[in-house]
Amino acid sequence: MRGQRLLDAALERITAVRSRARRIERRELWEFQRWLQNTDNLLHLSIVLVVPVVIGFVTYLSNQIQTLSFLLFPPLASGTYTLFSDPDGRHADPVRFVASLSLGAVCGLISYTTTAWVYGGVGSALVHPESAALAIFLTGLVTWAGHIEAPSAFSTALLALVTGDVDPVTYVVSVFLAAVFVAGAFVLWRETLYEKRAEYLYETVQGDDHVLVPMRGETAKRTALFGARLAAAHEAGKVVLLEVVSDSDAASVDGRGSTVDETQSIHEVAPFDDEEAAAAPKVASKTREAVERLERCASHIHTRIGVPCEVIVVAGDPVQATIEAGQNANCDLVVTPYEEDRGTLSPYVRGIFTSQFDTVAFRSVRDRDRWSRVLVLVARPGDVAHGMIDFAARLTGNRGTVSVATCIGSEVERRQAETHLDHLVETVEGNVETRVSRSPVQDFITANADDYDLLVLGSSGERSPASRFVSPPTFQRVQDLECDVAVFDRGHL
């Protein structure tokens, strides 16, 4: 008997260790995915993993096909790095890449042949200064005239002068064939991975179409319309309206305490008739009133926006009941009314922010159901920034405008900030503009937010200057803005 208990205890320990290892593995995978959602990290990883494979394969071909000269590898590697490091840059055109390397090699061949003719064949064994100068001159002239300037072209031009035992014509052919192969690999990588990274990497773009809206406070209906607009952008979108009541209010008529499952009532939006109402479960009056109130709101949302709606009434602790309701309804985004408590976010909002759900705390100042001008303030690239921009694009569609802005401390940061913003917005369709400001974040928001319908910020948990705008001591400034405010928090494992 004792041996059996020891065996059971050992099995429980092993199960616990395996479960913990799986949790750690999931969290590490989750952290890696978030790291990869930074476009700069994705590019660096592609350079580390893809470029060596491409160059290695070209080397393999050079060993199998004697017409490929090893001299082409230095400029080829340099050009390949240029392609993959800046796939949207000036030199990332595959045609320009092939043309520049090939024309550089041709110019080198012309210079080599000219020198050999002038010196009676000596040019084949000796590189003269005038030969190198002519090669660079011709390369610069041709690439300039053809608008295909590339640093690697000058390398292929000079290497054509030192081919040694390799025939210069063979070298030119080698450069062309290798460049075509690299360009093809680059196009394949860019079209199948880089340009579709939003589909593969950014979870808010893939999901966040089942929206749970806790109906709290005076702006609950406006918040529900806001959540419905987010859900309506996806074909599978739906809205779940939630109200949490106390256990005493949810008690059934016979006085027996009710659990969350027993008090939960879900209704698809549809015309309600008397027979359906008579068949509804018998619940306490306050619960019945809550259900009827939510059904009226759901019917209004369905009529106004066209997105399917459900209503849920549960009992229990507000934060825990909301989380459980979101899990049971298979929701992936919570849109809750913005609440404050003594100069900071309320305990309820902070509790939802710490859950596994992506969460938006929505502060409504005007009665509207469309947001055509949205300002998104980001501090750094990553999944939070992509999520905020995706939400803004859902709201504006093709008719509105999304302004993605960031603030810098000095002018030397401008170019990098502009590059980061370009990477962020290139995965989003619609009218999107970028802004880089040297103003302090608080001053920028105060000066510009009132010109927009909605301001989107990251939560204070992101620890960015923009997100600290909604935490003390600048928290109070949100109350002075004349536009709606959406505070986004990324879900946590």
Side-chain angles (χ1 to χ4, degrees), residues 118-135:
V118 170
Y119 288 94
V122 179
S124 62
L126 180 65
V127 178
H128 293 274
E130 55 266 39
S131 179
L134 179 60

Side-chain angles (χ1 to χ4, degrees), residues 101-124:
L101 266 65
S102 302
L103 288 177
V106 170
C107 291
L109 175 61
I110 294 174
S111 177
Y112 177 90
T113 304
T114 302
T115 304
W117 176 76
V118 170
Y119 288 94
V122 179
S124 62

Side-chain angles (χ1 to χ4, degrees), residues 89 115 167 242 261 268 333 446 469 471 487:
T115 304
D167 180 54
L242 169 71
D261 289 338
E268 292 287 339
L333 175 66
T446 303
F469 191 79
S471 61
V487 183

